[in-house]
Amino acid sequence: MKIRAKIRTAVTGLALVVGMLVALPGPASAVLSSSDTYEASVISATNYQRAIRGRVKLSPQWCVDRYAESHARWMATNRTLKHQSLSRILSYCGLRSVGENIAVGYRTGTLAVAAWMASYYHRLNILKWGYRLIGVGAYQDTSGRWWVSQVFGTKL
């Protein structure tokens, strides 16, 4: 009986949290946007790939995320898959090293990471020992296609 009571309490607590999230007005609903979900799945899948190979988990960081978000939006708007200038990110974010993976057309963040892992140089970025920071931007164009920028960094 104790186990059933614990499960009931956990389910009730989860329902309360979900209910609170659904009831949040205005800007809080943006937290649950499809691009945020896509980006979170990229980070999760990236950290999974790192973990199973003994690498440390990457931490989201506002500065590299800002560049990833901006670049994903730029690529989608211009319908151009092109790397951004990494030197700007190095200097503005105060980093020692930086890298970027970009993609277009993958339905989910997990599929984008799987494609990067199948590509030698993209895989090197994901698994690089020195990286500690991650930022991800995912932007859906008017035809529903996802454009993604994944930026990695190491602090000075």
Side-chain angles (χ1 to χ4, degrees):
M1 290 303 268
K2 288 182 181 182
I3 292 174
R4 285 185 184 170
K6 287 181 181 180
I7 292 172
R8 193 175 313 118
T9 301
V11 169
T12 302
L14 180 60
L16 179 62
V17 170
V18 169
M20 288 169 53
L21 289 174
V22 171
L24 290 172
S29 63
V31 172
L32 304 175
S33 76
S34 58
S35 65
D36 288 334
T37 301
Y38 194 107
E39 292 163 9
S41 70
V42 168
I43 293 170
S44 177
T46 297
N47 277 328
Y48 172 78
Q49 292 296 331
R50 289 178 63 85
I52 63 174
R53 291 168 178 83
R55 276 32 169 218
V56 298
K57 180 180 171 184
L58 299 173
S59 299
Q61 198 254 8
W62 71 271
C63 191
V64 292
D65 190 63
R66 175 178 170 226
Y67 281 96
E69 295 275 354
S70 173
H71 193 60
R73 186 173 26 260
W74 181 89
M75 290 189 301
T77 302
N78 293 282
R79 295 183 186 253
T80 303
L81 189 65
K82 179 180 177 183
H83 286 282
Q84 62 186 308
S85 168
L86 298 180
S87 60
R88 289 183 309 161
I89 301 170
L90 274 171
S91 61
Y92 185 79
C93 296
L95 301 175
R96 180 169 20 117
S97 63
V98 66
E100 179 186 49
N101 288 340
I102 56 175
V104 63
Y106 295 96
R107 239 180 33 254
T108 68
T110 304
L111 291 173
V113 172
W116 286 327
M117 288 301 291
S119 165
Y120 180 76
Y121 289 106
H122 295 100
R123 178 186 176 101
L124 286 177
N125 272 341
I126 288 172
L127 299 178
K128 185 172 179 177
W129 282 99
Y131 288 148
R132 295 295 182 268
L133 308 174
I134 187 170
V136 177
Y139 195 85
Q140 204 168 19
D141 67 21
T142 54
S143 65
R145 205 166 37 160
W146 285 102
W147 297 78
V148 191
S149 172
Q150 179 184 49
V151 177
F152 305 94
T154 305
K155 280 287 193 188
L156 287 173

